[in-house]
DNA sequence: ACCTGAACACCGTTCAAGT
DNA sequence: ACCTGAACACCGTTCAAGT
């Protein structure tokens, strides 16, 4: 649809957009080329294969995170919440982002910022690495679970138990209280 | 290779075995049939499509968990650790297990057991749901991150910072301290 | 009832050929 | 240098046909 000279950047951006809009399965190398107004095979001149394309997609998502974090220095909760928000913006990309190891040093940049926020919060450098890893893992698991629930209604518990009582927390409130518990607990334990 | 009358159970078991051995991408409906010593299309008589096959795979993994939990009553840490262990046994199935909502009531059974362990630990029913959800999300994120690291060596931090100091915790130690922090923190907060 | 096999519309990837 | 398009070996799914 767009008709400019092809670029890795352009291709990756189009791929992420297609994933966001139509889901991961809707992205094929051929449709990607067609969507860019070019021969289905033209993509292969700029990207060696689909795996490399996915690496680019992960990079793009993490660059969004870095942009967010670069605006101002952030504390631990703000940094992790920014991470959560960026991931939530690309629910269909989560199987890719969560599954591919951080390969490029570029993709690593935002995590160095987050790590700094843990050190700032009083963690020693090795403790900060452990705590950040826990928090990042918690966040990824949370976001995936949230994205995996197409039918919002089901409850994995017997509603009889809650007659008249309080309700379990919604996703955002739950995320925050879990994050605080995790970080504070790790502060005293590491 | 095996030559018995086809069954949904048998098909699902073979699918999980193939995923475990050769990875998720190596599983196709056609190879599955061939692997079972039958026409590639025979599978479709027992399973409507690949999505339903994946639902069966999730069910199979969670049944393993239930078997583990049924052996004896477990506390929260034991229950969550059993969950972690079962997931770690099927690293290539994680993109499926983490991504599909729990559809069948059967798949829900082990989580009711885990929920009971949270109530046993002093959480009120709604608080137990929130806490369990946090712990399950944390565990899934942890296991996925662990499975996504094919090159064990890379460190997302500057090794200079740790000259002479202690090392960050390994995956198992980190999981445990994170889980304890999370659960204890939630106990006082919910 | 259960399995077979041809057919259809797709894939990812390679590669010679065009400009 | 950058794009095209044919070709190859696969997919998931459908469906008529066999037993």
């Amino acid at each position: 649809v767009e008709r400019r000279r092809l670029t890795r950047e352009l291709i990756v951006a189009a791929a992420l957009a297609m994933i966001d809009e139509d889901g991961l399965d809707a992205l094929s190398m051929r449709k990607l080329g067609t969507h860019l107004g070019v021969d289905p095979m033209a993509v292969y001149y700029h990207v060696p294969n689909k795996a490399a394309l996915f690496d680019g997609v992960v990079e793009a998502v993490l660059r969004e995170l870095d942009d967010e974090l670069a605006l101002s220095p952030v504390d631990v909760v703000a940094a992790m919440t920014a991470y959560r928000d960026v991931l939530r913006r690309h629910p269909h990309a989560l199987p890719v982002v969560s599954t591919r190891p951080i390969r490029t040093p570029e993709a690593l940049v935002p995590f160095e910022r987050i790590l700094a926020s843990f050190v700032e919060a009083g963690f020693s450098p090795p403790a900060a690495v452990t705590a950040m890893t826990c928090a990042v893992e918690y966040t990824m698991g949370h976001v995936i679970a949230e994205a995996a629930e197409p039918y919002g209604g089901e409850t994995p518990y017997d509603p009889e138990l809650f007659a008249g009582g309080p309700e379990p927390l919604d996703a955002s409130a739950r995320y925050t209280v879990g994050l605080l518990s995790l970080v504070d607990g790790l502060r005293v334990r590491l």
Side-chain angles (χ1 to χ4, degrees), chain A residues 5-18:
Chain A
R5 221 172 123 282
L6 241 44
T7 297
R8 204 191 102 108
E9 308 290 311
L10 227 97
I11 290 169
V12 166
L16 180 53
M18 288 177 71

Side-chain angles (χ1 to χ4, degrees), chain A residues 4-15 32 36 38 42-43 45-47 53:
Chain A
R4 293 177 44 193
R5 221 172 123 282
L6 241 44
T7 297
R8 204 191 102 108
E9 308 290 311
L10 227 97
I11 290 169
V12 166
L32 181 54
L36 287 162
V38 94
V43 174
Y45 182 79
H46 303 270
V47 174
L53 179 68

Side-chain angles (χ1 to χ4, degrees), chain A residues 20-117:
Chain A
D20 287 343
E21 280 186 36
D22 300 318
L24 197 54
D25 293 342
L27 175 71
S28 72
M29 295 297 270
R30 301 167 107 110
K31 279 190 207 149
L32 181 54
T34 305
H35 183 83
L36 287 162
V38 94
D39 183 275
M41 297 303 105
V43 174
Y44 279 98
Y45 182 79
H46 303 270
V47 174
N49 51 44
K50 202 173 185 182
L53 179 68
F54 281 151
D55 285 339
V57 167
V58 174
E59 234 178 85
V61 170
L62 294 181
R63 188 161 36 236
E64 275 184 40
L65 174 59
D66 194 51
D67 291 347
E68 210 102 338
L69 295 179
L71 292 178
S72 60
V74 287
D75 59 69
V76 168
V77 172
M80 294 310 302
T81 302
Y83 185 43
R84 175 178 183 246
D85 289 343
V86 168
L87 294 178
R88 270 158 50 95
R89 241 179 264 150
H90 306 285
H92 293 131
L94 292 180
V96 173
V97 178
S98 67
T99 273
R100 319 219 114 221
I102 309 298
R103 294 179 193 282
T104 71
E106 232 207 354
L108 207 137
V109 174
F111 293 108
E112 281 169 0
R113 264 186 227 277
I114 296 181
L115 185 63
S117 79

